Amino acid sequence: MKDYIAAFKTYLAEQKQVSSNTLESYLRDLSQFSAYAVSRQTEDLADAGQELVLEYVASLEAAGRSHSTITRVLASIRCFYQYLLMTGGVSSNPAKGVKVSKAEKKLPEILTNQEIELLLAQPNPLDHKGCRDKAMLELLYATGIRVSELIDLRIHDVNLEVGILHLKGTKSERIVPMYPAAVKAIADYVLRVRPMIVLDPDSEMLFTNMNGLPLTRQGFWKIVKHYAQQANIQKDITPHTLRHSFAAHLLENGAQLRDIKEMLGHADISSTQVYAQIMKNRYAQAYRKFHPRAR
């Protein structure tokens, strides 16, 4: 049997000059597909038909592989057969037209009120890092802003006297109120800690890392993960979880979707309606769990 995978490897490395990570990914996917083909009595990959590719995709789905993983694997197989088609190894691409089943759209994870209180209580405001972290977490939950917006904030974007946050984008701007505890945490950070960690006294950045340099999304992600673990919160929390929780809690307490849309900066109300679905699911679960005749 001709070693088509070895020839494909040479093509990717020498002609396409893909990165080592991409090359490794292609070869791993094809090696696993080849092993499956052998198990189905198809030892020569040039003899594989569309039915075999469909069966392989179905086997990955049955094994619980993620939608993104299966999509990547299928792309590797499709690219491999496109190479064989180009070099005359096959007369058609058996992966052409094969699609991955649409992934079920998961509703975003939200925290309960108790989990929010636990998370916000973790940073120690008496030390510089804890003071900064508490200000960021309180601000994120108070306003529901995106992490990208948080790390780009300038000091003049927060009006601590009035208690509002002013966000100005390229196409729109919005003003979001902040609850008193968030204002207090930010004021403490701005007056007491920020001057100690910002390298350039003329810098307008509201938040920096502890070396006075711009904060990154990855850096803030680690901060959130650290405090979630410290609070023993079992949910898979990301910085966006605070944005989702902000919106869901407002809706739960009677806010209108159109007002939440404006505060979140959504371009379309359809993006905001997912929080109504979250509340609907939560109420249905509570009904099934607690209504005496629902069990």
Side-chain angles (χ1 to χ4, degrees), residues 121-134:
Q122 297 311 307
N124 178 7
L126 298 180
D127 66 53
H128 289 173
K129 185 178 185 303
C131 180
R132 182 208 61 177
D133 294 350
K134 183 167 180 62

Side-chain angles (χ1 to χ4, degrees), residues 89-264:
V90 295
S91 57
S92 63
N93 188 335
K96 187 178 181 180
V98 176
K99 296 181 180 179
V100 185
S101 301
K102 248 187 176 179
E104 184 179 343
K105 197 167 183 180
K106 289 177 66 177
L107 292 175
E109 186 82 89
I110 63 169
L111 300 178
T112 64
N113 291 326
Q114 183 181 14
E115 287 168 336
I116 284 288
E117 294 300 326
L118 271 172
L119 183 67
L120 297 179
Q122 297 311 307
N124 178 7
L126 298 180
D127 66 53
H128 289 173
K129 185 178 185 303
C131 180
R132 182 208 61 177
D133 294 350
K134 183 167 180 62
M136 290 193 295
L137 292 177
E138 290 278 8
L139 177 58
L140 209 62
Y141 180 61
T143 61
I145 61 174
R146 303 172 181 89
V147 179
S148 57
E149 293 172 324
L150 176 78
I151 63 179
D152 285 340
L153 285 176
R154 300 297 188 263
I155 196 162
H156 59 259
D157 292 331
V158 290
N159 186 325
L160 297 174
E161 290 185 10
V162 181
I164 59 170
L165 176 68
H166 182 211
L167 294 161
K168 189 171 184 179
T170 53
K171 295 183 179 179
S172 63
E173 59 181 294
R174 65 191 196 273
I175 293 174
V176 188
M178 299 182 292
Y179 53 71
V183 173
K184 181 180 178 182
I186 298 164
D188 184 32
Y189 161 73
V190 168
L191 297 173
R192 183 171 61 87
V193 172
R194 184 180 176 275
M196 306 290 289
I197 62 175
V198 174
L199 286 178
D200 181 2
D202 295 325
S203 171
E204 294 187 349
M205 297 297 296
L206 178 59
F207 296 112
T208 69
N209 64 23
M210 295 309 293
N211 295 317
L213 300 173
L215 194 66
T216 65
R217 291 169 60 92
Q218 293 82 2
F220 186 71
W221 182 86
K222 290 178 181 177
I223 290 169
V224 173
K225 287 288 186 183
H226 167 72
Y227 290 121
Q229 186 176 23
Q230 194 170 288
N232 198 29
I233 297 173
Q234 301 302 312
K235 293 175 180 174
D236 184 19
I237 297 178
T238 70
H240 222 61
T241 305
L242 287 169
R243 177 172 165 87
H244 293 319
S245 301
F246 160 85
H249 293 171
L250 280 177
L251 186 62
E252 188 176 27
N253 286 286
Q256 297 297 308
L257 271 178
R258 62 178 178 272
D259 294 328
I260 298 173
K261 168 189 173 293
E262 295 302 319
M263 284 185 275
L264 290 175

